[in-house]
Amino acid sequence: MNRALHPYLLGTAAAVTVVLAALAGWALFGPRTPPPRAAADQTAQPAAARIERYGRALQDGMAGMKYVATEEQLARPRQGYRVTFETADASLLKARDDAANAARQAAWQQRFCTDELRGEMRARQVNVVTGRVVDGGGRTQYVADCVAGQPAPQSGPGGPLL
């Protein structure tokens, strides 16, 4: 055997021994019971259900848009939800033209982040609800963020007023 490799082999064997000893110690002396689960938040479910109903109702009012899911995205207490919609309608997908994309983004922001949604957010103490539009492949096309306490966005003919 090559004498230059001998120290490396000894070092590797020592490292493997230490890892195996640590795993054996964890198996013998580690926690036996899983940690207690946090108490379920009884008020979070109504918030998610109300936001889901809002998303489904929005789907009914828009041709070419299909409600997919509502997911809690941020940690307790009900910080934020993401509502996902899917579309194959070319007029709702991103275009090559930046001005058209800005106008579509602004239209989606106004369509999603309504006074009705803001009222639900206030009533349920939700901070952020994001409305995401994806194409058939799951790629995000547009995102509207509705933030508690944020005024309705202003928009001009070509898109949002900055």
Side-chain angles (χ1 to χ4, degrees):
M1 178 178 352
N2 187 349
R3 285 204 174 287
L5 290 179
H6 186 66
Y8 293 110
L9 291 175
L10 288 176
T12 302
V16 168
T17 303
V18 168
V19 169
L20 290 175
L23 289 173
W26 179 258
L28 290 172
F29 304 112
R32 294 280 181 215
T33 58
R37 293 172 49 118
D41 180 6
Q42 298 302 321
T43 59
Q45 187 55 33
R50 296 295 294 239
I51 292 169
E52 179 180 345
R53 269 184 277 191
Y54 174 80
R56 289 184 186 281
L58 190 60
Q59 162 196 283
D60 295 341
M62 287 190 70
M65 189 77 68
K66 180 179 103 177
Y67 169 84
V68 176
T70 297
E71 305 163 274
E72 191 169 9
Q73 290 296 300
L74 299 173
R76 168 133 172 59
R78 300 171 311 283
Q79 294 293 313
Y81 294 90
R82 179 175 65 195
V83 183
T84 303
F85 299 87
E86 184 179 325
T87 187
D89 185 345
S91 68
L92 299 174
L93 298 175
K94 280 187 181 178
R96 292 183 185 259
D97 180 20
D98 288 339
N101 284 334
R104 290 176 185 178
Q105 173 66 41
W108 175 242
Q109 180 73 31
Q110 283 187 328
R111 180 78 154 168
F112 182 76
C113 194
T114 63
D115 289 338
E116 179 185 352
L117 178 58
R118 282 192 193 87
E120 285 296 330
M121 291 171 64
R122 233 181 344 271
R124 308 284 176 225
Q125 301 170 341
V126 173
N127 293 331
V128 178
V129 177
T130 299
R132 180 174 76 131
V133 177
V134 299
D135 63 13
R139 291 178 297 277
T140 300
Q141 300 297 301
Y142 301 102
V143 175
D145 288 322
C146 194
V147 179
Q150 180 183 35
Q154 296 181 2
S155 181
L161 297 176
L162 303 175

